[in-house]
Structure formats: C-alpha cells, structure tokens
C-alpha cells in the first residue's frame, strides 16, 4: 500500500449542514442517500480491523477520520482518534466544519490529532477573522488548517454539466476510502460505491488496493479519455 496517499475512514453517516453542492443534498435520488440522513456508526471492531490491516500492510500515511460526514457528530470521535494514534505510525487527521467544536472537544483532540482542517463557512470579514483566531487558540499541539467552506462542484449539482472533463486524465484514485457501511469507494466523488469494489472486511485492505479490478480502473482513468469507459466518470466535473 505504499502508493496509497491517504486512508479515509467514514466513521459515521451524519452531517449537520445542507450544502447544495454536496452530493448528500444534490443527488436527486433521495432513497440512494437516505443512509446519510440517519446516524449510522461504523462498528468499532470494523474500525480496529481496518487500522490493524493498515499497520500489517506497513502503511505509514495519513488516516483521515472523515469523508462525506461531519466527524464531530460521532460521539466516539475522540476515542477513535486516540485508537488510531496508539498505532504510532499514522498521521491522524480529520476535516470538520467546526460548528460543533468547543473547548471541551478541542481539549480531547489536541495532541491526539496530528492535524485538523476546519472548513469555515463565514464570508471574509471581521467575524471570520475572530472565528479563525478562536479556532487557532483552541489547539496547542495539533496543527490547525482553516479553509473556505465552499465545496468544489460535484456530481448532480446544477453547474456540473458546465464542466467538461471527459478527455482529461483523473488522478483522484490514490486514496483508500471505506465508508461507514464498510464499502470501498473509488474516489472523493464516489459517495455510494458506484464501481462495486466490494466490502470490508470480506475483502481486506491489501487485497482491495492491489486488486486487478481497482487497478484496471485506475490505469484507464489516468489516461486521456479514460473517463469515457465509465458512465459515472463521464459526467464527473473534477
């Protein structure tokens, strides 16, 4: 798994925001995304086995405890971060909108997370500046990165059709993603498992990462025009 840049683990399903550019909200098939509007937690045993297998595979990269969710809605997130940190080989990170971040939560995460990225949805101005300062003050040991809360254009959003990337190579497949249901996801635009890559733990991390099915897709997508072989990729705006 040396070619894996990130290991993303979606520990829970919920998000507290309703951003129109997010596939949770822009997907017209509401039944498909229903699981992401009820709290569903990845079992701790599954999470532990993912980390165990990553360690056995000698993975030493970032473990990101978030994906299409708001990780601070998982009441176990501090203990999950501690578990990942205990392996002494991963850079433990998460991405949050910061809405639920307070002094108590920050104290539980400070020094446990190597890095926290906060997507701040406030417009530029004094209020945003003050919020940034406050977030920065909460952490002394954990690296803090503050970004804009504006989403990149994704599938189903009304402006997605204006971006034609069909003939462009895609390099968004270099992260290993397991969602809260245990599904393997090909990339950051694959919320629902469109490529039928299997489930963890039936298929182990190393078996999945080096599987001919995944590698075939990756090789094709990294070639100009490779997206044309996959209907979901033909309409991808990234």
């Amino acid at each position: 798994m040396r070619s894996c840049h990130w290991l993303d683990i979606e520990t829970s399903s919920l998000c507290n925001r309703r951003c129109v550019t997010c596939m949770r909200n822009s997907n017209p098939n509401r039944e498909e995304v229903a699981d992401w509007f009820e709290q569903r937690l990845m079992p701790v045993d599954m999470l532990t086995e993912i980390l165990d297998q990553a360690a056995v595979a000698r993975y030493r990269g970032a473990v990101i405890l978030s994906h299409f969710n708001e990780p601070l809605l998982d009441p176990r997130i501090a203990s999950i971060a501690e578990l990942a940190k205990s392996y002494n080989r991963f850079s433990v990170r998460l991405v949050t909108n910061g809405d639920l971040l307070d002094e108590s939560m920050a104290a539980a995460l400070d020094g446990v997370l190597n890095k926290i990225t906060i997507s701040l949805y406030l417009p530029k101005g004094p209020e945003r500046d003050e919020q940034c300062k406050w977030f920065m003050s909460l952490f002394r040991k954990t690296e803090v990165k503050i970004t804009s809360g504006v989403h990149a254009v994704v599938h189903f959003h009304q402006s997605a059709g204006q971006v034609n990337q069909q003939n462009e190579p895609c390099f968004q497949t270099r992260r290993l993603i397991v969602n809260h249901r245990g599904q393997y996801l090909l990339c950051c635009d694959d919320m629902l498992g469109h490529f039928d890559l299997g489930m963890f733990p039936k298929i182990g991390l190393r078996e999945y990462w080096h599987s001919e099915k995944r590698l075939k897709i990756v090789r094709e997508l990294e070639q100009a025009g490779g997206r044309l072989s996959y209907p979901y990729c033909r309409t991808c705006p990234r």
Side-chain angles (χ1 to χ4, degrees), residues 2-208:
R2 292 180 181 177
S3 59
C4 179
H5 291 188
W6 299 279
L7 171 57
D8 291 12
I9 306 173
E10 185 181 75
T11 71
S12 63
S13 57
L14 281 180
C15 183
N16 61 305
R17 285 188 171 261
R18 296 292 183 266
C19 303
V20 295
T21 51
C22 177
M23 279 188 285
R24 303 169 60 96
N25 305 302
S26 60
N27 189 328
N29 188 333
R30 304 317 295 165
E31 290 185 10
E32 280 191 336
V33 295
D35 268 8
W36 280 264
F37 289 87
E38 296 180 14
Q39 182 62 294
R40 300 177 186 273
L41 303 176
M42 175 182 284
V44 174
D45 288 351
M46 178 183 290
L47 174 69
T48 303
E49 189 168 352
I50 291 173
L51 296 171
D52 283 348
Q53 289 194 19
V56 169
R58 299 183 179 179
Y59 176 69
R60 301 193 69 91
V63 169
I64 303 174
L65 299 174
S66 51
H67 192 51
F68 272 105
N69 66 336
E70 168 46 54
L72 300 189
L73 283 171
D74 187 336
R76 314 162 303 167
I77 196 62
S79 61
I80 286 173
E82 288 180 355
L83 172 63
K85 186 75 169 180
S86 71
Y87 286 76
N88 294 316
R89 63 183 301 116
F90 308 128
S91 176
V92 184
R93 310 177 185 185
L94 61 76
V95 180
T96 173
N97 58 40
D99 293 349
L100 304 174
L101 192 57
D102 57 18
E103 290 88 346
S104 176
M105 176 62 73
L109 295 173
D110 193 21
V112 179
L113 294 176
N114 294 88
K115 182 177 183 179
I116 183 168
T117 299
I118 303 171
S119 298
L120 188 55
Y121 286 79
L122 290 173
K124 290 183 179 180
E127 185 181 358
R128 178 187 172 87
D129 293 342
E130 286 301 312
Q131 190 76 356
C132 287
K133 290 179 184 177
W134 184 69
F135 281 139
M136 298 296 289
S137 73
L138 293 176
F139 295 90
R140 299 193 176 192
K141 302 174 184 176
T142 293
E143 178 186 353
V144 180
K145 180 180 180 181
I146 299 178
T147 65
S148 169
V150 177
H151 287 261
V153 176
V154 294
H155 276 86
F156 309 116
H157 186 251
Q158 59 185 3
S159 61
Q162 301 170 16
V163 183
N164 188 343
Q165 300 277 43
Q166 285 190 358
N167 293 314
E168 296 297 319
C170 175
F171 300 98
Q172 300 290 332
T173 58
R174 296 178 181 180
R175 60 176 63 188
L176 197 162
I177 307 168
V178 186
N179 72 10
H180 67 276
R181 301 192 287 198
Q183 282 178 299
Y184 288 111
L185 307 180
L186 181 68
C187 64
C188 53
D189 245 54
D190 180 20
M191 179 177 171
L192 300 171
H194 289 278
F195 297 86
D196 193 24
L197 295 170
M199 303 283 291
F200 183 90
K202 184 176 182 180
I203 300 174
L205 294 191
R206 186 150 42 184
E207 180 185 358
Y208 160 72

